Amino acid sequence: MADVEVEIRVNGQPRRASVEPRRTLADFLREQCGLTGTHLGCEHGVCGACTVLVDGDAVRSCLVFAVQAEGAEVTTIEGIGAPDELSPVQAAFRDHHGLQCGFCTPGFVVSVTAFLRDHPNPTDDEIRDGLSGNLCRCTGYQGILAAVRAAAAGAQATTG
Amino acid sequence: MVPQMTGPTSAARYAGTRVHRVEDARLLTGYGTFVDDITRPGMLHACFVRSPFPRARIDGVHATEALALDGVHAVFTAADINPEVHELWYSIMGKDIPDTPRPLLAEGEARFVGDPVAIVVAGSRYVAEDAAELVEVDYEPLEPVVDYRSARDASELVHEGYEKNVAGRLRGGNKDLMAEVGPSAAHVVSETIHQQAYVACPMETRGIVAEWSGGEMTIWAGTQAPHEVRAVCSRVLGLPEHRIRVIMRDTGGGFGQKVAPLREDLCVMVAARKVPAALKWIEDRRENLMAAGQARHEHGTASMAFAEDGTILAANIVHTQDVGAYPTPWPVGTAAAVGMIFPGPYRVPQAAWATTSMFSNTAGRIAYRGPWQFETVARELLLDIAARRMDIDPVELRRRNFLAADDLPYAMATGMPLDHISPREVFEHALELLDHDAFREEQAAAREQGRYLGVGTSSYVEPTTSAMGAFGTEGATIRVEPTGKVNVYVAGGSTGNSLETTAVQLTADALGVAIEDVNTIQGDTAVTPFGLGTGGSRSGSMIAGAVGTTARTLRERIIAIAAHKLEAAVEDIELADGRATVRGTPTAGLSIAEIAHTAYFDAASLPPDIEPGLEASGRYRAEAMSIWANATHVCTCEVDVTTGMVTILRYIVSEDCGPMINPNVVEGQIDGGTVQGIGGALYEHLAYDEDGNPIAATFVDYLMPTIAEVPVIEHGHIETPGPGPGGYKGVGEGGAIGAPPAVINAVADALSPFGVTITDLPVTPASIVALLDEVRAS
Ligand code: FES
Ligand code: FES
């Protein structure tokens, strides 16, 4: 099948490319845009490592074709914070040892960012429910749970 | 709370504290560098053609159609790849072992579903996958040996020359032990315990990029041991080691799976010499669950004889493990650890063991976090079963048998020399954290209301930081740069276990400088000293040794320069907070930056016998054959006796890994291992159907714990310094060893009113319901 022209805004920048219709959004971001922070842990929609925001919604980029994101606004992990300017969620993960190898981490940070926007004051059960679609093999989720609680509490404190 | 067992620990500024990890900023923001993030000019992509049959004769491989596809560069089969292998052995075992077969590509016969038969090279991963589908293989299906338990009697052989499918056997002690001790013992308890196959399953699959250029090989790898990748590459290709450079920065978890380069990795190395550009292979999850090896699949008949009062008189285990078709490395020797550590943290006057490794037409056995953990599973399950039969609380039975401080040093009846451990103390500490008596009351009250709660414990001793062979030393190079900033070079192989932070903390302390002024370089064989990386819970102690040894030389030089320039005696110089000062006159001093400047830029003003520059390399040799760590896990749960659902209520780990370099890292290692063990006890099963087809090759079928299932883990730390630098012990594997039996024992305790005995893992809702149906029927 012939390649298709797409234009997608990625982290605020317009990106134009010609892609095979079967190319996933994840591969488009990693290979065409060089944004390798989006990771692939399963490529079948279960692990959540590839999570990005598409028009604000947390989406598994391994399950979406690049052409389906035509015209959309995509935010990847690289658009959430920078090494010398961590977002509150990223800082909470660092403070609470919410990551070890860091492979699942971009997916978690993106998912948590969207989750806390929608649930600013979550209970533990809501956190567990909301993040049960992201797998981590290193941390046993202990630091992640603590980080999400802390990020929520921090946001509550600043917004009063 | 940190009860202190012996002596104060070092007054170090960073060791022992929860400093932020230096790895985190890049990993949190998407700027880590994992192997799949590597791109090279003109890079090509590999995809393997894999056998869909558990066992089949390969009569031919036809690549014409695949090669005709636009973008396909090559298709290599066993005939192209296998003859290129000069020698293949792994440093952990050495070359003088009766190693099992390990062809890079299946040759003549495919031996499990997923066995690589050909490697396709194309311009993109998409095209490589398309082409792999077009490769035609003439298979003649053969009767497979699926179940290792009946492999001995199978009419077929997995490998010619291995009679009855036995890969090897070992035994130790008096094989008639139980027959001799049993008749006069008050109680003999014996059960056969089965553990299912489950696996490391790091979130990042395997992967490698190999680039052959100008007679040199450069490899980027996801690995726990870059120097081992280089060593094995050198052996396989017959290339001198110094012509090979292996680089890794971030590796997305390993847990044993990435200790040794496996067949596909080696195949990519060979193929890379036949193609004009770098060759990348990134495994997909299906391949990872099908072909990246299996672990834990074993069973054993565990027996113990007890005196009237519950004192253990003798212990015996007859163990059999599945090693699949192509185990890596040689699996027979490692299995001996199951027998040798079986007595565990108890006084066991007599012990014997036997182990058999069986081939089957399934994925090969590989290392996984605490590869010998079956000793703990079998012993701790058996102790609970025995206690119930003897009508004593399992806690009480253990109390009567734990080794006490007075017993140490203690030689296990199997010959393992124990010391610097605290089995009683960690056990009592864990029970205190739980309030065991209160739990028993709560349990009794719940039972009145028809709710079934249970508590299970599991205690173990674990040999960490082996000094065996190539594991016995570790090197470091430290450079104080001309500005006084410090770089520390160690072999690396960090896969989430924070080796960068560890090296930086230890170096900052050893040189008395600020942690911000230290950087570390790891994972590049071209610049780092040889070392075997992450494995065997060795990194903490060995890096501490390497950094300590090397820093000592540098400290001496720094102090000599300072003494000379400050016109003071060497003994009067103190080094702390980035300054060398004269004792008693703290105003007289020089910063490390000033000393470094002198060392590099003003050699004329150095003391005459002092070498210019501030760089040193050193190599540490492990002080003990191994450093023992120990722990007790305690789990409480509720079991729904209608649905078989298990809900974990509390989970406590009380451990003695000596002083902690970074408590966050220590607890993180314990948490991660523990949750893997919980997964193994309750959810994970790398299952095959009876025809030998893998039925858990996606995350829909291979069920790892999610945040929804895991309890909050509570920690207790006891610190008995070990025989090595800083008293540090290993802690990477223990969680995965201790957890499964604690969980199973809790479930069994909850179900004790029904008289069920659990001997098969995993414990699933279906298996619980079946057990209950069985006892209700009888
Ligand atoms: S890679 Fe997309 S969900 Fe796993
Ligand atoms: S930190 Fe390694 S998988 Fe989550």
Side-chain angles (χ1 to χ4, degrees):
Chain A
M1 224 191 269
D3 288 1
V4 178
E5 293 291 322
V6 290
E7 180 170 338
I8 302 173
R9 280 182 77 82
V10 181
N11 300 332
Q13 305 269 331
R15 300 273 192 166
R16 253 172 243 110
S18 159
V19 298
E20 273 186 276
R22 63 172 173 172
R23 175 156 291 258
T24 63
L25 177 59
D27 285 343
F28 170 80
L29 293 168
R30 290 182 51 83
E31 290 167 24
Q32 250 96 355
C33 305
L35 296 167
T36 54
T38 299
H39 295 159
L40 293 166
C42 70
E43 295 172 275
H44 51 251
V46 181
C47 76
C50 64
T51 306
V52 299
L53 300 180
V54 177
D55 293 331
D57 293 334
V59 158
R60 281 150 208 262
S61 62
C62 72
L63 289 187
V64 176
F65 294 115
V67 293
Q68 292 173 287
E70 165 67 27
E73 178 81 46
V74 173
T75 306
T76 69
I77 185 67
E78 290 90 344
I80 301 248
D84 50 2
E85 208 183 331
L86 298 182
S87 77
V89 170
Q90 289 166 330
F93 268 67
R94 182 191 55 189
D95 292 347
H96 295 273
H97 197 34
L99 67 156
Q100 289 182 24
C101 77
F103 196 79
C104 70
T105 308
F108 266 100
V109 168
V110 171
S111 299
V112 170
T113 303
F115 171 77
L116 288 178
R117 181 198 60 207
D118 300 341
H119 305 82
N121 193 11
T123 63
D124 275 6
D125 281 348
E126 284 169 335
I127 296 174
R128 289 176 185 280
D129 226 46
L131 296 177
S132 64
N134 287 73
L135 293 175
C136 172
R137 193 56 160 169
C138 295
T139 62
Y141 307 101
Q142 304 295 309
I144 294 174
L145 181 63
V148 179
R149 285 175 181 157
Q156 289 296 300
T158 41
T159 57
Chain B
M1 188 182 82
V2 181
Q4 198 78 28
M5 293 307 298
T6 39
T9 53
S10 109
R13 182 167 161 204
Y14 299 110
T17 66
R18 297 175 187 266
V19 297
H20 277 159
R21 295 201 321 159
V22 298
E23 295 90 342
D24 284 349
R26 67 173 190 265
L27 295 173
L28 279 162
T29 50
Y31 292 101
T33 306
F34 296 88
V35 60
D36 195 17
D37 304 341
I38 301 296
T39 30
R40 299 291 302 160
M43 189 168 75
L44 299 169
H45 297 260
C47 178
F48 286 92
V49 176
R50 296 179 182 276
S51 170
F53 298 103
R55 183 161 174 256
R57 209 172 61 226
I58 299 169
D59 289 331
V61 181
H62 311 286
T64 326
E65 230 187 301
L67 286 167
L69 195 69
D70 204 21
V72 175
H73 283 247
V75 176
F76 300 118
T77 66
D80 307 305
I81 299 289
N82 295 3
E84 306 267 329
V85 176
H86 287 244
E87 51 177 333
L88 171 52
W89 53 274
Y90 296 95
S91 307
I92 183 172
M93 289 293 162
K95 59 166 134 182
D96 303 321
I97 39 130
D99 207 356
T100 48
R102 202 173 294 113
L104 270 45
L105 289 175
E107 193 162 0
E109 189 171 319
R111 291 187 169 85
F112 69 99
V113 174
D115 200 348
V117 173
I119 175 171
V120 176
V121 178
S124 81
R125 169 82 197 192
Y126 283 74
V127 174
E129 283 180 21
D130 291 344
E133 302 232 318
L134 296 175
V135 173
E136 265 178 63
V137 184
D138 300 330
Y139 293 107
E140 179 61 39
L142 300 168
E143 181 69 26
V145 179
V146 178
D147 189 344
Y148 78 100
R149 290 172 296 191
S150 51
R152 191 190 292 266
D153 304 318
S155 53
E156 307 294 317
L157 289 181
V158 176
H159 293 288
E160 277 308 315
Y162 285 88
E163 246 180 74
K164 296 187 192 304
N165 289 311
V166 174
R169 290 178 218 229
L170 290 169
R171 51 174 301 278
N174 172 4
K175 71 179 183 334
D176 300 321
L177 177 63
M178 295 315 287
E180 287 170 19
V181 178
S184 59
H187 309 274
V188 175
V189 181
S190 187
E191 283 293 343
T192 302
I193 289 152
H194 294 264
Q195 181 163 260
Q196 85 283 15
Y198 65 99
V199 287
C201 208
M203 289 312 300
E204 176 200 43
T205 56
R206 292 181 292 159
I208 185 168
V209 178
E211 183 174 80
W212 174 249
S213 166
E216 292 184 354
M217 179 71 94
T218 309
I219 290 172
W220 291 263
T223 177
Q224 297 175 226
H227 283 272
E228 176 68 350
V229 174
R230 184 183 68 169
V232 175
C233 179
S234 155
R235 292 166 199 151
V236 166
L237 298 181
L239 269 180
E241 241 174 349
H242 67 296
R243 294 270 178 226
I244 305 167
R245 178 178 186 185
V246 176
I247 303 167
M248 55 86 64
R249 184 82 200 262
D250 295 307
T251 291
F255 319 116
Q257 187 169 88
K258 297 173 187 167
V259 162
L262 299 174
R263 293 166 70 213
E264 290 90 339
D265 303 304
L266 307 178
C267 193
V268 171
M269 293 173 192
V270 173
R273 289 215 290 185
K274 300 175 182 292
V275 297
L279 181 58
K280 177 191 253 190
W281 171 63
I282 303 296
E283 184 181 52
D284 71 23
R285 182 56 62 187
R286 197 167 141 268
E287 293 179 286
N288 183 259
L289 286 168
M290 226 166 43
Q294 54 123 329
R296 302 292 197 249
H297 201 198
E298 55 212 304
H299 69 277
T301 301
S303 313
M304 280 192 188
F306 299 89
E308 193 53 54
D309 64 355
T311 310
I312 300 169
L313 301 173
N316 186 64
I317 184 163
V318 179
H319 168 249
T320 307
Q321 64 173 6
D322 186 1
V323 301
Y326 298 115
T328 303
W330 184 60
V332 181
T334 350
V338 173
M340 296 187 67
I341 310 171
F342 182 62
Y346 306 99
R347 276 191 215 106
V348 178
Q350 298 191 72
W353 56 274
T355 175
T356 307
S357 294
M358 299 298 301
F359 284 119
S360 66
N361 288 116
T362 64
R365 191 181 188 96
I366 61 165
Y368 175 32
R369 210 170 195 173
W372 60 86
Q373 58 78 267
F374 190 72
E375 49 77 34
T376 294
V377 173
R379 180 187 61 248
E380 296 299 312
L381 258 55
L382 187 75
L383 282 172
D384 267 43
I385 293 168
R388 273 191 288 278
R389 297 216 177 126
M390 290 151 65
D391 204 20
I392 350 181
D393 193 302
V395 159
E396 193 46 43
L397 178 63
R398 286 181 176 79
R399 280 189 176 132
R400 292 181 196 174
N401 287 288
F402 274 124
L403 288 165
D406 287 353
D407 297 317
L408 301 171
Y410 179 86
M412 282 190 197
T414 53
M416 300 301 259
L418 294 177
D419 205 356
H420 312 283
I421 54 168
S422 55
R424 273 176 196 276
E425 291 80 2
V426 297
F427 184 75
E428 295 302 338
H429 187 44
L431 293 185
E432 239 170 72
L433 290 171
L434 170 68
D435 196 342
H436 184 254
D437 296 338
F439 179 82
R440 285 290 185 215
E441 284 166 27
E442 185 189 340
Q443 180 185 41
R447 273 185 198 163
E448 300 277 302
Q449 306 161 4
R451 290 175 51 221
Y452 294 90
L453 311 189
V455 57
T457 75
S458 157
S459 299
Y460 64 85
V461 286
E462 176 203 357
T464 74
T465 322
S466 164
M468 196 176 70
F471 281 111
T473 76
E474 192 75 23
T477 294
I478 303 177
R479 288 188 190 146
V480 181
E481 306 290 357
T483 56
K485 303 294 183 198
V486 180
N487 263 317
V488 53
Y489 299 70
V490 294
S494 195
T495 50
N497 45 333
S498 317
L499 299 191
E500 292 182 28
T501 303
T502 302
V504 164
Q505 278 183 272
L506 292 166
T507 305
D509 278 343
L511 294 178
V513 299
I515 199 163
E516 302 74 30
D517 290 339
V518 184
N519 180 56
T520 184
I521 291 167
Q522 308 187 1
D524 182 344
T525 60
V527 294
T528 63
F530 173 82
L532 275 188
T534 292
S537 300
R538 65 188 292 275
S539 296
S541 174
M542 294 305 288
I543 291 178
V547 165
T549 303
T550 309
R552 207 165 302 133
T553 315
L554 273 181
R555 282 181 72 99
E556 278 168 20
R557 204 181 306 164
I558 291 167
I559 287 171
I561 297 169
H564 184 72
K565 295 201 72 162
L566 296 168
E567 295 177 356
V570 163
E571 309 78 60
D572 290 338
I573 300 292
E574 278 178 344
L575 206 52
D577 300 328
R579 287 181 71 74
T581 49
V582 181
R583 191 164 301 142
T585 40
T587 45
L590 288 167
S591 69
I592 297 284
E594 289 167 308
I595 295 168
H597 185 89
T598 306
Y600 288 100
F601 295 173
D602 188 14
S605 67
L606 290 173
D609 55 337
I610 288 292
E611 193 186 309
L614 274 183
E615 173 174 341
S617 290
R619 183 158 284 273
Y620 165 74
R621 179 201 294 202
E623 288 159 39
M625 267 321 286
S626 52
I627 300 176
W628 290 85
N630 65 287
T632 290
H633 286 223
V634 177
C635 175
T636 65
C637 71
E638 175 161 2
V639 182
D640 181 324
V641 295
T642 312
T643 62
M645 258 301 272
V646 174
T647 307
I648 294 178
L649 302 173
R650 283 185 70 186
Y651 202 100
I652 297 157
V653 183
S654 167
E655 121 296 334
D656 185 344
C657 69
M660 294 180 276
I661 299 170
N662 185 330
N664 275 351
V665 172
V666 166
E667 290 170 3
Q669 287 297 307
I670 295 169
D671 294 341
T674 297
V675 169
Q676 290 182 6
I678 292 173
L682 299 177
Y683 314 112
E684 298 176 34
H685 189 180
L686 194 80
Y688 284 82
D689 69 14
E690 57 192 24
D691 299 322
N693 299 303
I695 54 172
T698 70
F699 279 157
V700 180
D701 305 297
Y702 190 81
L703 301 177
M704 299 201 296
T706 75
I707 196 168
E709 286 89 32
V710 301
V712 168
I713 296 169
E714 302 162 59
H715 293 274
H717 297 290
I718 303 271
E719 292 182 8
T720 311
Y728 306 131
K729 303 174 180 174
V731 74
E733 294 166 286
I737 297 171
V743 175
I744 305 290
N745 282 341
V747 174
D749 184 57
L751 298 179
S752 61
F754 299 91
V756 305
T757 302
I758 301 178
T759 53
D760 287 2
L761 277 64
V763 173
T764 62
S767 77
I768 291 174
V769 170
L771 277 172
L772 288 168
D773 284 348
E774 208 175 291
V775 292
R776 283 181 190 130
S778 63

